[in-house]
Amino acid sequence: MSAPLTAAPLTAATIQALRAQTPGAQTSVHFNHAGSSLPSSGTLEAIHAHLQREAMLGPMEAGVASRALTENARTLAAQLLNAQPDEIALTTGNSAGWGAAFAALAPWRPGDRILVGRHEWGGNLAAMRLHAERAGAVLETIASDDSGCVDPDALADMVDDRVRLIALTWMPANGGLINPAAAIGRVARRHGIPYFVDAAQAVGQLPIDVTEVGCDVLSGVGRKALRGPRGTGLLYVRRSFLDQLTPAFVDTYSAPLDADGRPVLRADAGRLESAENSLALRCGLANALQEALALGLGSIRATLDATAQRVRTELAAIPGLTVLDQGREKSSLISFNLQGRNAADVQRALAAVGVTIGSNGVPYTPLDMQARGLAHIARVSVSPLTSDNEIDRLLDALRDVARAAP
């Protein structure tokens, strides 16, 4: 379970101010925040300001002049996760960070076991299976409990001395379930097994304390709940775990040469970064992180929970529509299918009337989709920006689509 909902939701005045400061909220009805949310005008201005510095000073010189600004993203990310700045790598996205950490693990051996939750992101599965097949290692799925969540007791029963990694996607992309990340972490720590958490949907949506989660690696992304720019991400690596990671690729930043010309890996999470990155996007990420922290993650979570509960309840009342979310505790993602309609068709029909939602197929969360016999899902995801008027427009549009269904 995540932290209890003890904080008060954001006030109506605060939400209205957020919407006023978000250009996209004035022009779109956006329910695909789990894909990519709407950035604030402050985040856009931070990006533009750095691009202007690059144009006036030169990109290299602007980087030097703005070092404190761009590094602030690292400090704020550490604050968000209750980590230290040297445990944070700034990445270009969730998959890039998670994949860099996974590729940096020691070589796999025949018979090694990787244990994953049923909701694991398809990109992570692709990376793990590729390495496992080459080495003769095996990938195994942890059983879920009767609510659909990954079962910590089932995990404990699977552990032996051949398990080299436990991987969990905290919040699946195909529905509103929240996995028990901290309970899984306690099993991993008890047995001394590396534990990777994909928190792409959780970062910016939940209060996160990496010491409570008990993970060695946690990846996140800027463009989803944080409302940061696309092409940004953050990666936490527990300080005492760092020496177990040897990057598959290094450069002058991650492993500068010493006086003898030998590469020396950085002694912080920066060993998983590259010398080449967009400093303008990092400025935008820093602003987005600052805004999230100022609102308070507890209040964000309480707001999302109340809004998502309302949307779930009203969606379930639409004839022919089935809400597909599992779990005892729900996130701000709501998955559903409409009888007689493909999810992608529903997405297109809503887009035609100015309402944006998401849709997912089997490749994104294959283990869970196949276990539940799902070929596709439509997905609505809410944000602190979501207004009552937008919810009404979403529901009206879906009722129209439902009535027109074969």
Side-chain angles (χ1 to χ4, degrees):
M1 301 285 285
S2 64
L5 299 181
T6 56
L10 300 172
T11 66
T14 298
I15 293 171
Q16 187 56 41
L18 287 176
R19 291 182 60 80
Q21 296 158 11
T22 304
Q26 319 308 315
T27 59
S28 65
V29 178
H30 192 73
F31 283 95
N32 192 22
H33 300 280
S36 194
S37 194
L38 302 173
S40 71
S41 55
T43 292
L44 296 174
E45 289 164 6
I47 296 168
H48 294 159
H50 188 79
L51 291 174
Q52 185 67 22
R53 284 191 290 271
E54 289 189 349
M56 301 304 293
L57 302 176
M60 304 300 287
E61 293 74 14
V64 173
S66 298
R67 180 171 176 78
L69 283 174
T70 55
E71 279 300 301
N72 195 35
R74 192 185 314 277
T75 301
L76 293 169
Q79 184 179 342
L80 185 80
L81 302 178
N82 192 32
Q84 297 301 314
D86 67 348
E87 296 177 307
I88 300 296
L90 297 177
T91 68
T92 57
N94 189 73
S95 292
W98 192 99
F102 177 76
L105 287 169
W108 296 91
R109 304 177 299 256
D112 283 346
R113 301 170 67 205
I114 304 172
L115 306 184
V116 302
R118 197 177 77 188
H119 318 91
E120 195 66 17
W121 174 245
N124 301 346
L125 289 172
M128 289 185 278
R129 281 178 168 159
L130 185 64
H131 283 74
E133 288 170 3
R134 287 174 176 171
V138 293
L139 191 78
E140 301 173 47
T141 306
I142 308 161
S144 292
D145 63 21
D146 57 5
S147 78
C149 289
V150 176
D151 188 343
D153 293 332
L155 169 63
D157 290 341
M158 297 176 73
V159 170
D160 63 19
D161 59 6
R162 295 185 298 121
V163 177
R164 288 276 315 283
L165 177 66
I166 296 169
L168 181 77
T169 290
W170 196 342
M171 291 185 184
N174 67 329
L177 174 150
I178 302 179
N179 272 313
I184 298 294
R186 287 192 288 273
V187 177
R189 292 279 63 75
R190 187 161 66 242
H191 294 278
I193 300 169
Y195 177 36
F196 281 32
V197 175
D198 182 326
Q201 299 292 354
V203 169
Q205 183 176 163
L206 291 181
I208 296 177
D209 183 338
V210 289
T211 61
E212 179 185 340
V213 174
C215 54
D216 299 291
V217 169
L218 182 143
S219 60
V221 66
R223 63 182 160 87
K224 297 182 186 288
L226 283 174
R227 303 175 58 216
R230 193 166 192 177
T232 61
L234 51 96
L235 182 72
Y236 160 79
V237 181
R238 184 166 54 85
R239 186 182 292 155
S240 59
F241 185 70
L242 190 65
D243 287 343
Q244 297 188 44
L245 299 179
T246 302
F249 166 84
V250 295
D251 62 13
T252 54
Y253 180 83
S254 53
L257 301 177
D258 65 13
D260 298 321
R262 297 183 59 81
V264 179
L265 287 171
R266 292 181 63 96
D268 57 26
R271 68 171 57 183
L272 296 171
E273 291 184 25
S274 167
E276 185 60 35
N277 53 75
S278 170
L279 298 185
L281 293 183
R282 285 192 179 181
C283 288
L285 177 63
N287 188 81
L289 286 162
Q290 185 66 67
E291 289 180 353
L293 288 165
L295 289 173
L297 272 297
S299 292
I300 289 173
R301 167 66 177 140
T303 302
L304 293 175
D305 186 63
T307 304
Q309 284 187 32
R310 178 197 164 187
V311 173
R312 272 194 191 91
T313 300
E314 301 212 33
L315 285 178
I318 296 176
L321 188 150
T322 303
V323 175
L324 299 168
D325 295 333
Q326 295 187 313
R328 294 182 177 84
E329 187 182 10
K330 304 291 196 297
S331 74
S332 66
L333 285 69
I334 303 118
S335 61
F336 66 93
N337 274 331
L338 195 58
Q339 186 177 356
R341 298 296 295 265
N342 182 282
D345 292 338
V346 174
Q347 183 182 25
R348 284 190 288 270
L350 265 63
V353 295
V355 178
T356 303
I357 68 168
S359 66
N360 271 18
V362 173
Y364 299 100
T365 46
L367 300 178
D368 186 60
M369 296 286 276
Q370 291 163 354
R372 297 167 63 192
L374 297 170
H376 51 79
I377 59 99
R379 186 186 70 194
V380 165
S381 45
V382 301
S383 155
L385 298 169
T386 302
S387 69
D388 289 340
N389 179 62
E390 287 179 321
I391 294 172
D392 291 341
R393 285 190 60 182
L394 167 71
L395 295 168
D396 288 344
L398 277 170
R399 291 185 189 108
D400 289 343
V401 174
R403 282 191 287 267

